[in-house]
Amino acid sequence: MALHQVSGMPKQRLDVVASAGVFLFFALMLSVPRGYTLGAVVLLLGGMYYLAQRPPLMLSGEDKLMAWLLAGMSAMGVFSYLYHDNPTRSLDLVSRYVMVVPILLWLIKRPPSAKWVWAGLMVGSISAAGVTLWQVYILDFDRARGTTGVIQFGDLGLIMGVFCAAGFIGLERSGQARDTVWRILLALGAVAGLYASIESGSRGGWIALPAIIAIFVVAYTSRRNVKYVIAAVLILLVAAITAITTVPAVEARYDEAVSDIQRYQAGDPQTSLGYRLDMYKSLSIIIPQKPWLGWSQHDYAVEQERLVSSDIVSDVLFKMPNTHNTFLEFWVLHGLLGLLMLLALLLVAFVYFARRLRADNKRIQTAAVCGTALIVGYSVFSLSQVMLNRNNTLLFFLIAVAVFWAMAKPAATDR
């Protein structure tokens, strides 16, 4: 029986709920404290309501594997909780993976309106730039930190700007003159996201840019435009070098990184990078002791204290709330099992999106560019931050995967 025959809510109204939930999630992500929660709750409730009607899903093999991998991540977290006798709060973040499955299945069958998605991203990026201006020039903050924390704010601002840039290029290639206003707003969104990233000083995000640019090159280069693509890449390289040497925020963060490394080599770990390097040193000792199933949270803390008291590493470890590396965080707390599960999810999602980078349908191609950029960006961000061990950045990743995977399906091309 079809959904509209059994549901108390007409399909069209449920479609509006999906689009509104996505809009609210992206629009409130960076400018309203925990504002993204509203959109996430709307999407979760909508997804659960949709599945409660027991509609015929008829999922593809790709859809099923994505859903099973997400559920598997939560199952892995439950196993660690039981095996290590961790506190119940350790289930909080890992539960997000299985909670996004209803959203994923719902959006695959009833994709959100593309206009609502792009509107949410534009509002989110531009409002983030507004928050940046307020914090830097009115409140006199040394770095913009938004409402999420400085590194998360910069990395999410950057990736939202990248999404807006993909939307802009998609409209340009569609050749529809009536979309001029959308082009302007998407271009503003792209610039605003980049500006928020620069003023945040989040260096991990900037390192991801070359790989993200490579995705755009692969997606959009053809024999007819190869000269223009090469010229654009060269311009971007010149702009990046210019920014490093002339833009105060970028230049200061670059100089600080060089200074931090030099001080660490001289035996002083009391710097931003020094903290990380000492943490990684400790993990090189801790992880090999229990590589397969990882450490309990209690035993891990005790072992850190032992290393510090033995003067093997400095006490900067106690100033670090986490490992500042998603992959090492998973390995030390969930073992190789957890790390391989995470890598499988990232690899499968990357392959599925990358397959569509050269799609003839421009909407599918644009969604694929966004999805691929998300996976690559997060993989690089995660080398210096626990992007998948914080509520805001984890939810952003999971819901963005669901949204763009739904938009990369043929059913989304008429929405």
Side-chain angles (χ1 to χ4, degrees):
M1 188 175 290
L3 173 64
H4 69 278
Q5 293 176 301
V6 298
S7 173
M9 183 184 297
K11 285 194 300 182
Q12 292 77 11
R13 191 175 299 173
L14 197 57
D15 290 346
V16 172
V17 173
S19 297
V22 173
F23 170 83
L24 289 171
F25 180 77
F26 287 133
L28 304 180
M29 186 75 216
L30 296 177
S31 56
V32 178
R34 301 186 68 83
Y36 59 88
T37 305
L38 176 60
V41 169
V42 168
L43 290 172
L44 176 60
L45 294 178
M48 294 174 65
Y49 179 86
Y50 176 79
L51 293 183
Q53 313 309 311
R54 302 180 67 180
L57 294 176
M58 294 178 290
L59 301 172
S60 68
E62 291 178 327
D63 299 334
K64 292 177 182 178
L65 183 54
M66 289 270 279
W68 278 114
L69 283 172
L70 289 167
M73 289 292 291
S74 287
M76 174 271 300
V78 172
F79 173 80
S80 290
Y81 161 72
L82 295 173
Y83 179 78
H84 293 304
D85 194 25
N86 283 330
T88 305
R89 65 177 181 274
S90 66
L91 294 173
D92 183 39
L93 287 176
V94 294
S95 69
R96 304 293 190 266
Y97 292 92
V98 73
M99 289 169 65
V100 83
V101 172
I103 300 173
L104 174 70
L105 299 181
W106 175 32
L107 297 185
I108 285 173
K109 307 312 293 184
R110 304 300 306 173
S113 167
K115 289 186 176 180
W116 285 65
V117 175
W118 298 123
L121 288 167
M122 290 184 299
V123 171
S125 292
I126 294 171
S127 63
V131 170
T132 300
L133 287 167
W134 174 262
Q135 292 185 341
V136 172
Y137 292 101
I138 304 300
L139 301 181
D140 200 28
F141 287 3
D142 57 338
R143 296 169 62 185
R145 60 201 64 183
T147 61
T148 60
V150 63
I151 297 177
Q152 301 96 295
F153 182 71
D155 289 347
L156 293 182
L158 175 65
I159 204 68
M160 289 178 72
V162 168
F163 292 163
C164 288
F168 172 82
I169 294 174
L171 280 181
E172 282 293 311
R173 290 168 63 82
S174 70
Q176 298 181 28
R178 61 186 175 85
D179 289 325
T180 300
V181 173
W182 281 96
R183 287 189 180 93
I184 294 173
L185 291 174
L186 284 167
L188 285 174
V191 173
L194 179 61
Y195 172 68
S197 173
I198 290 174
E199 290 293 356
S200 76
S202 299
R203 295 170 296 208
W206 306 339
I207 295 173
L209 271 178
I212 291 174
I213 291 171
I215 292 168
F216 279 71
V217 171
V218 170
Y220 298 121
T221 302
S222 64
R223 291 183 179 180
R224 291 179 299 176
N225 68 4
V226 64
K227 294 181 180 178
Y228 300 104
V229 170
I230 292 173
V233 171
L234 291 175
I235 291 172
L236 287 171
L237 288 173
V238 171
I241 294 171
T242 302
I244 291 173
T245 56
T246 61
V247 176
V250 178
E251 185 179 12
R253 292 295 286 163
Y254 174 80
D255 291 342
E256 184 180 336
V258 174
S259 174
D260 286 359
I261 294 172
Q262 291 174 341
R263 288 176 60 181
Y264 187 79
Q265 291 173 336
D268 178 11
Q270 302 289 338
T271 64
S272 177
L273 290 183
Y275 290 175
R276 288 170 169 82
L277 292 172
D278 240 25
M279 172 62 75
Y280 300 158
K281 180 181 177 181
S282 74
L283 292 172
S284 71
I285 300 170
I286 293 174
I287 288 176
Q289 297 180 47
K290 297 182 179 181
W292 306 113
L293 298 177
W295 291 72
S296 70
Q297 292 185 6
H298 174 267
D299 290 347
Y300 173 52
V302 170
E303 181 64 9
Q304 284 185 312
E305 292 178 0
R306 185 189 71 81
L307 292 179
V308 172
S309 63
S310 302
D311 292 328
I312 297 174
V313 293
S314 68
D315 61 359
V316 298
L317 261 63
F318 301 144
K319 301 177 183 179
M320 301 279 283
N322 52 64
T323 64
H324 277 262
N325 183 299
T326 300
F327 305 107
L328 295 177
E329 186 95 356
F330 267 80
W331 197 350
V332 74
L333 295 179
H334 302 289
L336 193 59
L337 168 67
L339 178 61
L340 291 178
M341 282 293 301
L342 172 61
L343 293 176
L345 175 62
L346 293 174
L347 179 60
V348 167
F350 172 81
V351 170
Y352 285 178
F353 280 118
R355 285 175 179 173
R356 294 161 170 79
L357 285 176
R358 306 283 293 183
D360 293 331
N361 185 289
K362 302 308 176 190
R363 289 192 176 186
I364 291 177
Q365 183 185 38
T366 301
V369 169
C370 290
T372 310
L374 175 71
I375 303 301
V376 170
Y378 257 69
S379 297
V380 177
F381 301 161
S382 292
L383 296 175
S384 58
Q385 183 58 256
V386 287
M387 297 296 288
L388 300 180
N389 281 79
R390 291 181 179 275
N391 188 59
N392 48 19
T393 46
L394 174 59
L395 277 178
F396 183 91
F397 175 79
L398 294 174
I399 291 180
V401 165
V403 168
F404 290 118
W405 180 242
M407 293 176 68
K409 307 287 285 185
T413 57
D414 60 348
R415 292 180 58 72

